[in-house]
Amino acid sequence: MPEAAYFHIPFCVNICHYCDFNKVFLKGQPVNEYLTYMEKEMINTVRQTPYSRIKTIFVGGGTPTALDYEQFEMFLKMVNRHFSSDKLDEFTVEANPEQTDRKKLEIMKAFGVNRLSIGVQAFQEQLLKELGRTHVKKDVIRTVLEAKAVGIENISLDIMFGLPHQTVDMLKETLEIAFSLNVPHFSAYSLQLEKKTVFYNRAVKGDLLLPEQEEEAQMYEVLMEQMEKHGYIQYEISNFARPGYESKHNLQYWDNNEYYGIGAGAHSYVNGKRVANAGPLKKYMSLIDETGFPYVHSETLAPSAKMEEELFMGLRKMDGVSDTRFKQRYGKSMYDVFGPQIEQLLAKGWLKKSGDRVSLTKDGTFLGNEVFQEFIGVV
């Protein structure tokens, strides 16, 4: 039974050059109508699969803070109506600094939001322009200060590395400014070239100057060293937190737990099924009219697929995968299923054992995708 819910707001004032998430330009879109259909999906979803307790909520996009005040309040009221919980541990909203002012932060606070995830990426204006971002450093600083002023102290900043024209020194400068803001959490991702993005098209044309692989690896090394130096624990390949401030919602994914997904392009994992919603707004809304649900794909996971996901999702966490938990879920040891693969990765020095757990070594964190691949198609 799901204890987490994700809500997707697909509207953006501008489109970033690296983003392949489901999104549309805000201007001219039927925003209010879309929100009404989101509520229909919420009602039908909870009726079909009731929950006993929701622990975490995450609102992503797109750009949730691109909604105007009325729309934002309307949306958060809906979430509270249908996914309310007296014992909600974490309620996160993604925010772009240039579209997040004090009034929106006050609305968030009033409706139970207690965590803010701010898209920063870098603090150099030339890099931000290259990324297609429209904020500047002062917007980030203002947003952090205003969030704290309204009582939202649990703040995460997103940082990117391996960017076009980015150097190790630029990353160090970004981190130095970020640490000065005294927030408890960071997510830090290397640039991935995804199809149908501006960066991908430029790369195909040979018009995208990216750091060499060795330099990108050096950036990741610097990132890990600086995080540790400043008191942030790396608890997942791309995530760092002060103790007690780990993202509870994202841990639901990495722990391979079930979750609701509401909105255009959202994905759910409920009752052993992975379900994908329609991405285009018209299709999303018309499917809800026709069937009550916007599903375009549904797959009931076989036990073998669940076990594979348990390994490659769980190994993203620095504390890895517990064999005791694996046995409780699947009735057999992970060594019975993946013994040769685990032994091979231990021999390579990419995995390590501690008690009943296996986890990535430091070398393994640099080669995560290669490690995870070893568990695909085994069973």
Side-chain angles (χ1 to χ4, degrees), residues 75-349:
F75 166 71
L76 291 174
K77 278 181 179 176
M78 290 174 189
V79 174
N80 274 265
R81 268 198 298 274
H82 305 294
F83 289 85
S84 61
S85 175
D86 294 335
K87 297 179 180 177
L88 190 67
D89 293 331
E90 185 181 271
F91 190 162
T92 304
V93 171
E94 284 185 343
N96 274 10
E98 72 277 29
Q99 281 125 30
T100 308
D101 59 16
R102 180 155 185 149
K103 185 171 179 181
K104 283 184 186 172
L105 290 163
E106 287 171 345
I107 292 169
M108 289 187 221
K109 179 68 176 173
F111 288 97
V113 175
N114 59 13
R115 185 173 183 270
L116 199 65
S117 178
I118 304 174
V120 175
Q121 321 316 351
F123 280 109
Q124 294 80 20
E125 288 191 23
Q126 69 268 36
L127 285 186
L128 291 170
K129 285 179 183 175
E130 182 82 25
L131 291 170
R133 304 289 292 185
T134 56
H135 71 268
V136 293
K137 181 172 78 171
K138 67 179 181 181
D139 295 323
V140 178
I141 295 169
R142 174 191 51 75
T143 302
V144 170
L145 293 175
E146 287 183 343
K148 290 180 179 182
V150 304
I152 303 175
E153 299 275 347
N154 192 354
I155 298 168
S156 178
L157 303 184
D158 282 358
I159 304 292
M160 293 182 73
F161 62 95
L163 302 175
H165 306 294
Q166 188 182 34
T167 64
V168 172
D169 284 343
M170 284 179 174
L171 177 62
K172 286 179 178 176
E173 181 185 44
T174 285
L175 290 173
E176 188 178 335
I177 297 167
F179 292 138
S180 74
L181 296 175
N182 192 27
V183 300
H185 189 280
F186 289 97
S187 295
Y189 304 99
S190 64
L191 174 67
Q192 303 297 312
L193 294 178
E194 305 289 355
K195 289 183 178 180
K196 299 180 182 177
T197 63
V198 172
F199 275 176
Y200 180 85
N201 294 334
R202 283 180 56 189
V204 168
K205 294 176 185 174
D207 181 35
L208 195 68
L209 183 64
L210 296 172
E212 296 292 331
Q213 196 170 357
E214 294 79 8
E215 189 174 15
E216 185 177 319
Q218 188 185 353
M219 289 182 187
Y220 189 41
E221 182 88 41
V222 164
L223 176 74
M224 290 190 288
E225 287 172 357
Q226 288 298 311
M227 289 290 173
E228 185 177 8
K229 179 182 171 184
H230 287 82
Y232 296 89
I233 295 166
Q234 184 175 17
Y235 69 100
E236 190 267 350
I237 286 180
S238 303
N239 285 270
F240 305 81
R242 290 179 181 153
Y245 285 93
E246 299 83 1
S247 170
K248 293 179 175 68
H249 183 84
N250 286 337
L251 281 165
Q252 295 274 7
Y253 300 144
W254 302 321
D255 285 338
N256 205 23
N257 294 333
E258 296 193 344
Y259 54 89
Y260 300 102
I262 304 290
H267 291 71
S268 304
Y269 181 31
V270 177
N271 293 333
K273 284 185 180 179
R274 292 209 179 272
V275 179
N277 286 1
L281 301 192
K282 283 186 179 178
K283 188 169 185 181
Y284 170 80
M285 293 187 285
S286 67
L287 281 172
I288 290 175
D289 280 336
E290 291 164 18
T291 69
F293 298 95
Y295 305 154
V296 290
H297 178 74
S298 177
E299 178 189 5
T300 300
L301 294 188
S304 58
K306 291 181 182 180
M307 289 188 284
E308 287 176 2
E309 291 189 0
E310 191 81 17
L311 264 290
F312 68 73
M313 295 295 286
L315 284 172
R316 291 192 63 89
K317 301 176 297 175
M318 293 301 105
D319 67 355
V321 178
S322 160
D323 194 38
T324 303
R325 178 185 166 103
F326 193 94
K327 285 177 187 171
Q328 288 169 349
R329 285 192 161 186
Y330 308 108
K332 57 181 79 175
S333 168
M334 64 183 168
Y335 296 100
D336 294 336
V337 185
F338 301 108
Q341 290 74 28
I342 293 171
E343 291 303 323
Q344 184 181 20
L345 292 165
L346 288 167
K348 285 182 176 181

